[in-house]
Amino acid sequence: MADPEVPTPNVSKGASPPATAIATTSTSTAPSTSDSKAALATRMARFKALQSQKESGRRQTEAELRAAEDRPQRLAQLAKLQAANEKASYKLLKSDDPDFERKRNWDYTVEESESWDKRQAKKSRNRDNVSFADFRGEANKVYKRQVKQLGEKDMEEYAREKGERLQRQVRMGLLRLVEEGDEVFTVDSDGRINTPVEELYGHDHQPSKEAVDKLVEDLEKGERARLKARAARGIKDDGGDVTYINDKNKQFNEKLSRFYNRYTTEIRESFERGTAI
C-alpha cells in the first residue's frame, strides 16, 4: 500500500517566507553578531593598552634624554658647590685656629712634604714656560711632550735586544768576553762593561708592526694638529705649495699668477727641471 503524499505549500515569488523560517534565521545570526562585538572590544582594549605603553615609553625616553643632557651641568654645579664648601670650611677652620696649617702638616711625612714641594715647583715652571720664548725652548717642550707620550719602555724587550746586540758584537770581535768566577760580562776597548759599541746603521733592521703603526699614528696626529692650528688662524689649506707668508701676500701671488702665468710657464718648468740658463 503506497504512502500518502505530503502536500507542499505553494509559495509564489512575491510572497513572504513563512514565520518559522524567519525565526530560524534570526536565531542563527544573533550569536555571530555578539561574537564580532566581543572580538572588536578585545581589539580596542589591546590597541588602547599598546597606545598607553607607547606613550609611557616616549615619556620615559624624553625624561632620560633630558637627564643625560643635564647631567654634565648638574655634575659641574655639584663640583662647584663642593669646592665652595671645602673652601669655606678651610677658611672657617683657619680663622678659628691660627696654627691650623702647622697642625695639618703633622699628618704628612717629610718625604710627602718634599714631593709636594717638588710638584708645586714643577707646576710653577710649567706655567712660566707656557708662553713662547724662543724656538729652542719651544723645540725642547715639544721633545719632552713627545717623550712623555711614548709611554714606558718594555724592559724585558729592551734586555733581550741588548743581549742579542752584545752577542753579535762579541762574534764580530768588537767586544771581549770576560769570565770571572760565575760572572760573565763583556768589555769594550774603553773598559766599559756590558755596553754595546756604537755601530754604523745597517739597513737590515726590521721594525715591528706595532712600532710602524705607532709612528703612523704620531704623524697623523701631528698633521691633524697642524691643520687645526691653521684653521684656528683662519688659513685654508688648499693642498698646494705654500708660496706666501700671509693672506695679503697670497692674494697678490694669485693676482700675479692670473696675469703672468701664461708668459712664465716655460721658465718655471725649466727651473723645475734644472735646465734653466
Side-chain angles (χ1 to χ4, degrees):
M1 187 172 175
D3 295 333
E5 294 182 359
V6 178
T8 304
N10 295 327
V11 180
S12 62
K13 294 182 179 181
S16 59
T20 54
I22 295 175
T24 305
T25 306
S26 62
T27 53
S28 61
T29 56
S32 61
T33 304
S34 61
D35 293 342
S36 62
K37 288 182 179 180
L40 181 60
T42 304
R43 293 196 197 97
M44 287 301 296
R46 185 179 179 186
F47 178 68
K48 290 181 179 179
L50 291 175
Q51 278 186 330
S52 62
Q53 290 180 3
K54 177 183 176 182
E55 185 66 19
S56 62
R58 184 183 63 80
R59 292 178 180 176
Q60 184 178 1
T61 304
E62 289 180 355
E64 292 177 356
L65 286 175
R66 285 195 296 270
E69 290 176 355
D70 299 339
R71 179 179 173 81
Q73 298 178 358
R74 291 200 306 270
L75 291 178
Q77 292 176 357
L78 183 61
K80 189 175 180 180
L81 291 174
Q82 186 176 359
N85 186 16
E86 292 177 356
K87 190 174 181 180
S89 301
Y90 171 74
K91 288 183 177 180
L92 184 62
L93 292 172
K94 190 174 181 181
S95 62
D96 293 340
D97 189 359
D99 295 336
F100 173 72
E101 289 287 348
R102 184 171 62 86
K103 291 180 180 179
R104 190 176 66 166
N105 292 332
W106 291 349
D107 298 333
Y108 302 106
T109 62
V110 177
E111 290 80 6
E112 291 175 346
S113 179
E114 292 178 352
S115 176
W116 175 258
D117 293 339
K118 289 181 180 178
R119 287 174 58 188
Q120 294 300 318
K122 186 176 180 181
K123 284 185 178 180
S124 63
R125 288 196 304 270
N126 291 337
R127 283 195 298 267
D128 296 337
N129 293 331
V130 168
S131 60
F132 178 81
D134 54 4
F135 288 102
R136 185 186 297 273
E138 196 70 18
N140 188 25
K141 287 192 293 185
V142 172
Y143 172 74
K144 287 184 178 180
R145 184 173 66 249
Q146 290 177 349
V147 169
K148 188 182 295 184
Q149 291 174 354
L150 288 176
E152 297 182 359
K153 174 69 177 177
D154 188 0
M155 300 307 296
E156 295 182 357
E157 182 68 17
Y158 171 75
R160 185 186 63 80
E161 292 179 357
K162 183 178 179 181
E164 293 178 355
R165 188 176 179 186
L166 290 174
Q167 292 178 4
R168 186 177 68 253
Q169 291 183 355
V170 167
R171 291 194 299 268
M172 296 171 61
L174 300 175
L175 297 176
R176 183 165 52 90
L177 192 63
V178 179
E179 297 183 7
E180 291 186 359
D182 297 336
E183 296 183 359
V184 180
F185 53 89
T186 60
V187 180
D188 60 0
S189 58
D190 296 331
R192 296 179 298 180
I193 298 175
N194 289 337
T195 303
V197 179
E198 294 293 335
E199 301 178 83
L200 296 176
Y201 177 74
H203 298 283
D204 56 347
H205 176 67
Q206 295 291 336
S208 62
K209 185 178 182 302
E210 291 78 10
V212 175
D213 294 340
K214 191 171 184 179
L215 176 61
V216 172
E217 183 180 356
D218 291 341
L219 292 176
E220 291 179 350
K221 184 177 180 181
E223 184 67 16
R224 288 194 298 268
R226 185 184 70 85
L227 294 177
K228 184 178 180 180
R230 287 175 62 86
R233 294 195 301 268
I235 302 174
K236 295 182 179 179
D237 192 1
D238 52 2
D241 296 334
V242 179
T243 59
Y244 50 88
I245 57 176
N246 51 35
D247 290 340
K248 296 297 291 183
N249 182 239
K250 180 181 179 181
Q251 294 175 3
F252 184 73
N253 291 345
E254 290 176 352
K255 187 182 294 185
L256 290 177
S257 300
R258 285 197 301 270
F259 285 100
Y260 295 105
N261 262 2
R262 52 184 175 180
Y263 304 113
T264 60
T265 301
E266 185 177 355
I267 298 175
R268 285 187 287 104
E269 290 178 354
S270 299
F271 273 112
E272 291 176 1
R273 292 195 304 268
T275 58
I277 299 175

